[in-house]
């Protein structure tokens, strides 16, 4: 008697769960149709407010001198042939560059290896505040 009563409650609970999961699936489907959950990059409103260059995702390159920071930047983001990096000059100052040829626009900031990146003369705070990824070579 008690067992059949319990089974009846389980059946009712199962039916209830099935119904609620259907409802949540319907809601998820509505969100996909809106497209609001799958947008890449930053909102247009933010870009207009602060200028297009200010809010770009930023990759910061740091590391020892002659370790290959500029070479990585040139080969990966500018399609330079690896052989040509033999003639790349040493970076003397903080160098920032916009990359627009990728599927997402972003900025690279390279610190010269011959100076400490935390030297106050290089103003490390601003690039580090914007840093989305740090590449230390
Ligand atoms: N063998 C070898 N040489 C490399 C590699 N990557 C870069 N180089 C060479 O190392 C030298 C220095 O490379 P850069 O890219 O100028 O190094 P960097 O870290 O930017 O140097 P700084 O600007 O002085 O800090 C160049 O002659 C490159 O050709 C590598 O993966 N293997």
């Amino acid at each position: 008697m008690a067992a059949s009563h319990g089974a009846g409650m389980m059946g009712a609970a199962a039916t209830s769960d099935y119904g609620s999961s259907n409802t949540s699936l319907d809601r998820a489907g509505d969100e996909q149709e809106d497209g609001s959950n799958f947008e890449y990059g930053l909102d247009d409103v933010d870009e207009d407010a602060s200028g297009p260059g200010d809010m770009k995702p930023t990759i910061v390159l740091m590391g020892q001198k002659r370790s290959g920071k500029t070479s990585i930047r040139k080969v990966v983001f500018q399609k330079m042939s690896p052989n040509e990096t033999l003639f790349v000059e040493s970076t003397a100052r903080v160098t920032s560059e916009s990359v627009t040829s990728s599927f997402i626009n972003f900025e690279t900031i390279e610190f010269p290896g011959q100076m400490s990146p935390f030297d106050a003369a290089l103003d490390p705070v601003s690039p580090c505040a914007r840093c989305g990824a740090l590449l230390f070579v």
Side-chain angles (χ1 to χ4, degrees):
M1 181 79 176
S4 67
H5 184 67
M9 288 192 61
M10 280 175 64
T15 306
S16 174
D17 285 345
Y18 182 75
S20 66
S21 67
N22 261 357
T23 307
S24 65
L25 280 175
D26 289 345
R27 282 192 199 129
D30 289 342
E31 287 172 3
Q32 285 179 13
E33 285 173 9
D34 289 348
S36 57
N37 286 342
F38 299 99
E39 291 178 354
Y40 293 97
L42 300 163
D43 292 342
D44 291 341
V45 176
D46 291 341
E47 288 183 1
D48 291 342
S50 57
D54 292 339
M55 295 296 289
K56 279 182 190 166
T58 302
I59 299 174
V60 175
L61 292 105
M62 288 181 184
Q64 298 291 307
K65 64 181 177 182
R66 310 302 287 164
S67 61
K69 299 180 293 296
T70 308
S71 301
I72 290 171
R73 197 160 50 81
K74 300 271 184 190
V75 171
V76 175
F77 302 127
Q78 297 179 8
K79 298 188 175 132
M80 178 184 273
S81 164
N83 294 338
E84 291 177 54
T85 63
L86 284 172
F87 312 108
V88 163
E89 290 185 7
S90 185
T91 306
R93 60 184 66 85
V94 178
T95 306
S96 78
E97 197 171 59
S98 292
V99 179
T100 54
S101 56
S102 183
F103 69 95
I104 182 169
N105 293 346
F106 60 94
E107 187 176 2
T108 61
I109 301 178
E110 181 185 345
F111 283 76
Q114 58 206 351
M115 293 175 71
S116 166
F118 303 109
D119 192 321
L122 299 181
D123 184 24
V125 176
S126 164
C128 289
R130 295 155 53 199
C131 176
L134 173 66
L135 187 56
F136 194 93
V137 188

